[in-house]
Structure formats: structure tokens, C-alpha cells
Amino acid sequence: GLVGSIALIRVGMRHFWASHDRNTPQLRVAEGLPIAALLLCCIAMTVQAGPVMRYMQNAADALHSPGTYIHGVLTQAPVPGPTSAPAKEQP
């Protein structure tokens, strides 16, 4: 579906928006690498769907019950701020 959509969009752009006396633009490697990386991430998430779904479910559970986060923040000991060095007197 995605490849078909990309092909139809490219044909439409070439036919309706590009002038016919110009050369067709070429896709550079640097422009294609992010697309390839996103496609690889999609394939990896499809193959590893179980761990991805567990992570998403844990994130959703944490968002729906903020009590654990609030308790964790309020029960922590405060971190002391940086101590300021005494100011040097200018002669």
C-alpha cells in the first residue's frame, strides 16, 4: 500500500505539477536514509510486537495512575543546590 501510494504520488507530481521540459528530480542517498531507517523501525516493531506492546501498556498504565509517580517524587530527599563560592573583592 505504501509503495503504491508513493508511486502514484510521484506520477501525479510529474504529470500535473512538473514542467515537461525539465529533468525528473533524483532521490539522493542522504534523503532516502531516514525513510529506510523508519521502515526498518516499523519492521522491527512488527517482528518484536510482544515487547513493544508490553512497553506501551506499561506506559499507558503509568499515565492512567499518576499516584505512583507523585508518591515517588514527594518521598525523595531533596538534592542540595550548588554552594556559592564567596565573592572575591576587586582591588
Side-chain angles (χ1 to χ4, degrees):
L2 178 64
V3 174
S5 296
I6 291 172
L8 288 174
I9 289 170
R10 288 181 63 104
V11 168
M13 287 173 55
R14 208 176 292 157
H15 181 70
F16 293 113
W17 291 331
S19 62
H20 296 287
D21 57 346
R22 286 187 178 176
N23 293 338
T24 57
Q26 297 297 319
L27 181 66
R28 295 184 198 129
V29 175
E31 295 169 339
L33 286 178
I35 296 168
L38 287 173
L39 286 173
L40 286 174
C41 287
C42 288
I43 292 169
M45 286 192 316
T46 301
V47 171
Q48 295 294 323
V52 171
M53 287 302 294
R54 278 193 299 277
Y55 175 78
M56 294 297 173
Q57 187 62 48
N58 290 339
D61 292 341
L63 288 172
H64 285 290
S65 61
T68 306
Y69 172 75
I70 293 170
H71 177 72
V73 169
L74 293 179
T75 58
Q76 290 296 316
V79 177
T83 58
S84 59
K88 294 182 181 179
E89 291 184 26
Q90 301 227 351

